[in-house]
Amino acid sequence: MAARDLQERIKKLIIDRRLPSGAPLPTEPELMEFLGASRNSVREALKALQAMGIVEIRHGFGTYVGPMSLAPMIEGLAFRTVAGHYRGEDSLLELLELREAVETGLVSRLAGRIPESGLAELDALVDRMEQEAERGAGLAETDRAFHAALYRGLGNPLLREVLEAFWDAFHRVRTDLADVPQDPLITCRQHRDIVRAVRSGDAIRAEAAIRDHFGNIRTRLSTTDPQLPHSCHNERV
């Protein structure tokens, strides 16, 4: 039996038995009998599924349903983007545009719908960003928290994971932006504009604020030549 067929049958077993993440799979001998396959074939299939995050092999304990996270997607996006970037392609811009398209489409749904408690949290995060900018500290983690808080109100866990995957992939790409100076106060202002637009309930204004935010980093990326991998700077947007 082909390795891909075994993988598909194990995945079907997980689905058919409604097994949640962390649930134990049948033992190796049981899988061999169920699949009608050799020990080596079963092991190879399980290793392949583990690489995808579908199963988790705990040596000495057994095999369990994996977390089914988007980690493999992040790895693939990050590798594809950095490899293309150092070949002189526009892969980093392409990934940024993908993230921009998703966030622009979502923010209009949030205009006028975020409760005051959520808006207060966003205001506090921008306040913190401004304090960090004044101290010359990095804005990365606060910036990430802002975007996570902004879309939390949509109540879609899968969407949240996808946005996190785009974020992680983009920011794991190491690229030198030293020749294109960034003013952190502009970054802070753009985030403040996003909050004001969402608070106003004006969907068009909210979309424009997101586009302005992404347009700033896109302009800087467009004027940056690919650098050698060892020359790096990790920037959040």
Side-chain angles (χ1 to χ4, degrees):
M1 183 179 296
R4 184 59 182 269
D5 291 338
L6 286 179
Q7 294 170 33
E8 292 302 319
R9 290 187 63 189
I10 294 172
K11 288 193 288 185
K12 187 175 186 301
L13 180 150
I14 294 171
I15 293 171
D16 290 346
R17 298 189 183 183
R18 314 292 196 270
L19 298 178
S21 294
L25 286 176
T27 65
E28 193 174 84
E30 289 172 339
L31 284 174
M32 290 166 58
E33 181 178 356
F34 175 76
L35 299 170
S38 68
R39 185 182 303 273
N40 284 340
S41 296
V42 170
R43 287 182 175 177
E44 289 302 314
L46 291 174
K47 286 179 182 178
L49 292 174
Q50 179 172 241
M52 303 177 205
I54 295 175
V55 305
E56 179 183 358
I57 301 172
R58 303 176 191 172
H59 296 289
F61 295 93
T63 304
Y64 299 78
V65 179
M68 302 186 195
S69 74
L70 297 181
M73 173 178 151
I74 295 170
E75 291 291 340
L77 276 174
F79 181 78
R80 179 187 185 280
T81 302
V82 73
H85 181 69
Y86 292 128
R87 288 195 301 266
E89 300 172 3
D90 290 332
S91 57
L92 192 57
L93 279 170
E94 290 168 0
L95 182 55
L96 179 71
E97 288 172 357
L98 176 59
R99 185 179 156 204
E100 178 185 6
V102 173
E103 293 204 28
T104 302
L106 293 174
V107 75
S108 61
R109 296 171 53 189
L110 294 169
R113 293 179 54 188
I114 298 181
E116 189 53 43
S117 60
L119 293 170
E121 180 183 4
L122 293 172
D123 283 332
L125 288 167
V126 179
D127 289 342
R128 188 196 305 171
M129 289 176 68
E130 291 172 344
Q131 294 166 5
E132 291 168 343
E134 290 175 0
R135 297 196 308 268
L139 310 181
E141 293 309 314
T142 306
D143 196 339
R144 182 177 192 136
F146 177 92
H147 285 264
L150 179 63
Y151 299 107
R152 188 184 303 133
L154 292 174
N156 187 325
L158 179 59
L159 180 60
R160 183 175 64 249
E161 282 192 62
V162 170
L163 289 174
E164 285 287 306
F166 289 163
W167 178 284
D168 282 342
F170 186 84
H171 294 296
R172 285 177 59 180
V173 174
R174 298 155 69 89
T175 182
D176 192 342
L177 299 178
D179 293 334
V180 192
Q182 177 197 20
D183 184 350
L185 295 180
I186 292 178
T187 300
C188 295
R189 175 185 60 76
Q190 290 172 338
H191 284 80
R192 184 74 72 187
D193 288 345
I194 292 170
V195 179
R196 288 171 179 159
V198 171
R199 179 179 270 115
S200 73
D202 187 334
I204 295 177
R205 180 181 169 189
E207 288 183 17
I210 285 288
R211 291 191 187 280
D212 182 52
H213 176 44
F214 280 97
N216 181 39
I217 186 67
R218 188 192 309 109
T219 298
R220 287 180 284 128
L221 284 176
S222 298
T223 57
T224 303
D225 293 329
Q227 304 292 317
L228 293 176
H230 64 266
S231 178
C232 61
H233 175 73
N234 199 358
E235 180 174 359
R236 307 276 182 173
V237 295

